[in-house]
Amino acid sequence: MSTEEAFLSDVLAHPDDDAPRLVFADWLEEHDDAERAGFIRAQVRRLHLAPDADEADELRRQEGYQLAKQQAAWKTRLGSGKAELKLVRGFVEGVSTSATTWLRLGRKAQAATPLRQLKLADAGKRLKALLASDTLAQLTRLDLNGNELGDKGALALAGCAHLANLTRLDLANNKLTASGAQALALSPHLANLTVLDLSANQVGDDGARALARSPHVKRLKELYLGGNEIGNAGAQALAESPNLASLRQLMLFVNAIGDAGARALTASPHLQKLTKLYLNQNDVSPRVRKQLEKSWDERISVQPGRQERR
């Protein structure tokens, strides 16, 4: 193993630790790559500053001068072609690409950088091969928005042990129904999720009930269920679930929730940690809307729905 490979191995083994990256930056500077060394240091330093800190603007400028060049260098290093790369603390931590490209690229990428975030397009046709690949095992975030996976795809995801380290899963716009939501809810492999996005599907009241009853949703802090044909019954099920007591944000915009469901959610003893409840474009009456806005203030957003009652 070369010296550079040894430094890289330490970075991969300790992805959350800044020290190996900064030690590697020192080595790069000593070996005539001061630009990459400076980029690593600037990104590491900026993450520890408040956004309005005086130094933050200068560090952003330093990053900006180098970002395109460093992304190009990483694309050459990985052979990633048109894939979009997200650089964090000087290394690629996120990739956005097609499923086909990932199947070719994934193993090489994870041997070169602590990659933990993946967004895929056209995943439906390659889903079986994707889920069989252990390149998913290191991921903490997986974005499959808009892949039209359907309930069959949700069932396949639910059975994939490689997804056990995920903390965020985005399955918006995937034509999921209650069956798909139930499969996900029953999966022990998804028990580490803190963010689950099922927006713009058709999980309905039965899907909401399945999620509410699941023992595997206890770590969720954000749950996105906008545009899912959920009514009062689904809202009531969510409100009655002690499994959702860790939620901080609950998105239920563009559904069919009326006064009873809205009241149940806001009165729930299990949802009192919410910092934001989104009930925009539901069927809440003006009178109840005003009551909720008064009692929850900025914690609730409940703008008029499609057919506001008078």
Side-chain angles (χ1 to χ4, degrees):
M1 179 184 292
S2 68
T3 303
E4 182 174 357
E5 289 171 339
F7 283 128
L8 176 58
S9 179
D10 197 20
V11 171
L12 295 175
H14 304 92
D16 295 316
D17 192 349
D18 291 334
R21 301 182 191 225
L22 295 174
V23 170
F24 185 46
D26 291 341
W27 182 87
L28 287 169
E29 187 165 32
E30 292 170 1
H31 290 76
D32 301 320
D33 198 348
E35 287 187 343
R36 186 180 177 193
F39 182 78
I40 292 172
R41 293 187 188 116
Q43 284 208 316
V44 169
R45 175 63 179 156
R46 189 169 66 81
L47 281 184
H48 293 282
L49 296 174
D52 57 352
D54 292 341
E55 188 183 352
D57 285 340
E58 177 57 30
L59 290 170
R60 271 190 287 269
R61 280 192 289 271
Q62 291 180 30
E63 287 183 53
Y65 295 143
Q66 282 290 316
L67 183 58
K69 185 174 182 178
Q70 293 299 324
Q71 286 182 327
W74 271 108
K75 286 188 175 185
T76 299
R77 207 172 285 133
L78 300 178
S80 58
K82 296 181 180 180
E84 296 180 16
L85 307 181
K86 179 181 179 181
L87 270 59
V88 179
R89 294 181 296 150
F91 286 77
V92 177
E93 291 203 2
V95 169
S96 178
T97 189
S98 69
T100 299
T101 298
W102 176 253
L103 286 169
R104 172 182 60 80
L105 169 70
R107 200 170 303 282
K108 182 178 181 180
Q110 291 186 327
T113 186
L115 196 155
R116 293 183 288 183
Q117 302 176 28
L118 180 62
K119 180 176 182 178
L120 294 177
D122 302 321
K125 295 179 181 179
R126 306 304 306 274
L127 190 61
K128 183 176 181 180
L130 281 167
L131 297 182
S133 172
D134 61 5
T135 59
L136 302 182
Q138 296 180 32
L139 298 179
T140 58
R141 295 187 179 189
L142 179 60
D143 185 344
L144 295 172
N145 189 326
N147 276 275
E148 299 188 355
L149 299 180
D151 292 338
K152 186 176 180 180
L155 183 61
L157 287 165
C160 181
H162 293 318
L163 303 183
N165 287 320
L166 287 185
T167 59
R168 182 171 189 135
L169 177 60
D170 185 342
L171 290 173
N173 296 289
N174 267 291
K175 298 185 176 180
L176 306 184
T177 71
S179 295
Q182 183 175 32
L184 297 169
L186 293 175
S187 174
H189 306 308
L190 300 177
N192 284 319
L193 289 181
T194 59
V195 181
L196 176 60
D197 191 344
L198 297 179
S199 303
N201 286 293
Q202 301 93 38
V203 306
D205 288 337
D206 287 341
R209 287 192 192 95
L211 291 166
R213 293 169 181 169
S214 171
H216 304 306
V217 299
K218 294 181 178 180
R219 296 187 180 184
L220 282 182
K221 296 186 181 299
E222 298 179 23
L223 179 57
Y224 295 77
L225 291 171
N228 265 286
E229 303 174 4
I230 295 171
N232 285 332
Q236 184 75 43
L238 295 171
E240 293 175 351
S241 173
N243 297 322
L244 296 175
S246 293
L247 280 183
R248 298 295 183 272
Q249 295 193 49
L250 178 56
M251 319 298 181
L252 288 165
F253 44 81
V254 196
N255 278 296
I257 298 169
D259 290 354
R263 284 187 170 130
L265 289 164
T266 53
S268 169
H270 309 300
L271 299 178
Q272 294 307 304
K273 291 182 180 179
L274 285 179
T275 59
K276 198 70 177 184
L277 172 60
Y278 289 87
L279 286 170
N280 298 338
Q281 298 184 57
N282 276 279
D283 296 327
V284 182
S285 68
R287 178 175 60 84
V288 171
R289 186 177 79 244
K290 290 178 181 179
Q291 292 173 352
L292 298 182
E293 288 174 337
K294 182 177 181 180
S295 60
W296 272 55
D297 196 24
E298 294 182 355
R299 295 171 60 208
I300 196 167
S301 183
V302 58
Q303 295 304 308
R306 297 155 298 205
Q307 295 180 341
E308 181 179 273
R309 296 194 296 272
R310 297 186 180 279

